[in-house]
Amino acid sequence: MKRTRTAALTVTVAAAVAALTPVLGQAAATAADGKGEGKGNLPQDPVGSGRSWSKDQKHKLEGEARFHPGVQYETVTRPGSAAAPEWERKTGDPDTLAWLPSYEFAWTVSDVLVNKGLTTKNGKHPLVLHAVLRDAGHTAVAEVRKELSGQAATGRQKVAGNKRIACDTGDYTVEWTIERPGYAKVGGTLRWNSSCEQYRTAFAAEHTGK
C-alpha cells in the first residue's frame, strides 16, 4: 500500500478557534496582579489572561495568550468500500502523528488620565511577546520570543513555535508574558496534555470505513 507524504499538513485541535478579542476582561482567568492561568482539566487549546499597572498607576497593560497545539500527520491511501474499491481515499496515518504548537498573543495598552477619569488607547507601542513550553519535569522543550515595534494600542499576533512535540509525552506547562517596556508586564501559565488519542480513534474509524 502506497504511503503519501503531505506537505507540512497542520490542523488545529478544535474544529474552529474563535479569534482573540481585545475585550480581555471576558477571557478565562483574569487577575488583577497580572497572573492568569488557563482553566479546565488540561484543555487541548488553553487560554489565559491578566492585567497589570505601571508603578505610577498611569498606564495599564492587559494581555491574553492562547496555546494552539496544532497537529501534523502523513496520509496513506486506502481502497474504497467493498462495493466500489476503485474509489481510493486518503486517510491519516496514526503512526506519523506529532504536535506542532503555535502561540497567539493579544494586548491592550491604556493610558489613564487621572484628572479627567478617562482611559485612552492611543499611540504606537513596542512589545515583547514570550512563551516557554515546559514538560512535566519543568525542562524547557520549546521557546518563542518576538520583539515588536510600532504596534497599535490594541492588537494581536500569532507566533509559530517551529518545534515538533511527540504525542503522548505527558503534561506540559506554557509560561507566557507580554511586556510593554517601560510600562508594565503581564503573564501567566497554561496547562496542556499531549495525548493524541482522539486522532487515533478518528483515524481508526476512517481506516475501517465507519
Side-chain angles (χ1 to χ4, degrees), residues 144-160:
V144 297
R145 179 183 173 87
K146 191 165 187 177
E147 296 186 11
L148 306 174
S149 61
Q151 298 300 302
T154 296
R156 60 177 171 264
Q157 179 97 198
K158 192 170 184 178
V159 182

Side-chain angles (χ1 to χ4, degrees), residues 4-57:
T4 303
R5 180 176 294 273
T6 60
L9 177 62
T10 303
V11 297
T12 56
V13 174
V17 177
L20 283 170
T21 172
V23 187
L24 300 170
Q26 297 178 357
T30 298
D33 63 357
K35 298 297 183 180
E37 182 171 358
K39 300 292 187 180
N41 183 22
L42 299 178
Q44 287 292 66
D45 193 34
V47 59
S49 66
R51 66 170 62 95
S52 181
W53 288 84
S54 60
K55 291 182 179 180
D56 60 9
Q57 298 291 301

Side-chain angles (χ1 to χ4, degrees), residues 1 3 73-81 89-96 199-210:
M1 192 169 296
R3 175 172 294 182
Y73 55 86
E74 298 172 13
T75 61
V76 292
T77 302
R78 300 288 184 184
S81 64
R89 55 199 171 90
K90 295 185 185 301
T91 62
D93 181 359
D95 292 333
T96 63
Y199 287 101
R200 292 194 180 90
T201 300
F203 291 164
E206 290 177 354
H207 292 175
T208 57
K210 296 180 180 179

Side-chain angles (χ1 to χ4, degrees), residues 10-131:
T10 303
V11 297
T12 56
V13 174
V17 177
L20 283 170
T21 172
V23 187
L24 300 170
Q26 297 178 357
T30 298
D33 63 357
K35 298 297 183 180
E37 182 171 358
K39 300 292 187 180
N41 183 22
L42 299 178
Q44 287 292 66
D45 193 34
V47 59
S49 66
R51 66 170 62 95
S52 181
W53 288 84
S54 60
K55 291 182 179 180
D56 60 9
Q57 298 291 301
K58 293 183 179 181
H59 310 288
K60 181 174 64 173
L61 174 65
E62 296 172 271
E64 180 176 290
R66 184 183 293 273
F67 178 71
H68 297 284
V71 67
Q72 281 191 330
Y73 55 86
E74 298 172 13
T75 61
V76 292
T77 302
R78 300 288 184 184
S81 64
E86 70 277 10
W87 291 97
E88 294 184 335
R89 55 199 171 90
K90 295 185 185 301
T91 62
D93 181 359
D95 292 333
T96 63
L97 279 166
W99 299 105
L100 189 63
S102 62
Y103 308 80
E104 192 166 5
F105 302 85
W107 63 85
T108 296
V109 180
S110 305
D111 295 325
V112 181
L113 305 179
V114 179
N115 293 337
K116 296 182 179 180
L118 299 176
T119 298
T120 62
K121 300 173 183 178
N122 302 316
K124 300 294 184 179
H125 304 271
L127 292 162
V128 179
L129 314 178
H130 185 231

